[in-house]
Amino acid sequence: MKKRIGVLLSGRGSNFEAIAENVAAGHIPNAEIAIVISNREGAPGIERARARGIETRVIPSKGLEREVYDRQVVAVLREKQVDLVCLAGFMRLLSPYFVAAFPQHILNIHPSLLPSFPGLEAQRQALEHGVKWSGCSVHFVDENLDAGPIIVQTPVEVLDTDTPETLAARILKEEHRIYTEAVRIVFGGRFRIEGRRVVGV
Ligand code: GRF
């Protein structure tokens, strides 16, 4: 049976689309996207998923306590028999309940070399700090913000002429590449987690 991916997003959905394209092209063997869930009505990523004929669900999070919301999402992911949850621009922290529901099977992508610049506007944070290199990271998700063991990272050079937008655009290209790489690693299973380190076996 194919491995089933559930994608959670809140906005644009370009990382979702990159994964979907790579699944369709066979670059993530024996996998399919079972469901795309958004916590926001009108997220462009939901439209992108529909255009690809992928099942979608909008589960509004507004006004709900974290765990109450997460129970709804986990119920749908279970109903869809999802093996791996990919957060792709999902603008919420997960509750311990959610994290425990998919042990070591929730991934997130972040546009910096973690642990530098977690949280919002990572590319602006990098420019303001004056780093010469930034990049992006795919990591396992725990209850903390942009934390959890790192699976793949790649550097992107910061140019003197960069604005947050130009830096973000170059990082995004790498995001689209490494998210797929991380999914392949996790599905391949040839790794173990030693403390915070994800090491090959
Ligand atoms: C990406 O930069 C991702 O790293 C961050 O949010 C952004 C989402 O972009 N977590 P998209 O919705 O995948 O286009």
Side-chain angles (χ1 to χ4, degrees), residues 70-143:
D70 283 1
R71 282 182 184 272
Q72 294 181 17
V73 175
V74 167
V76 172
L77 293 170
R78 287 203 170 124
E79 175 198 321
K80 293 288 150 198
Q81 298 182 295
V82 161
D83 301 296
L84 181 70
V85 181
C86 291
L87 309 187
F90 187 61
M91 305 302 281
R92 293 178 56 82
L93 276 179
L94 303 192
S95 61
Y97 170 81
F98 195 147
V99 173
F102 292 91
Q104 290 173 12
H105 280 82
I106 310 174
L107 311 186
N108 182 44
I109 184 143
H110 185 73
S112 75
L113 293 177
L114 291 170
S116 291
F117 315 127
L120 293 176
E121 298 197 69
Q123 304 92 338
R124 180 182 299 279
Q125 292 184 54
L127 284 178
E128 283 174 359
H129 195 91
V131 294
K132 299 298 183 192
W133 290 85
S134 189
C136 46
S137 312
V138 181
H139 61 91
F140 287 110
V141 170
D142 61 21
E143 306 81 53

Side-chain angles (χ1 to χ4, degrees), residues 11-16 88-89 108-111 123 172 175:
R12 182 175 58 184
S14 73
N15 276 288
F16 148 69
N108 182 44
I109 184 143
H110 185 73
Q123 304 92 338
L172 193 64
E175 293 185 41

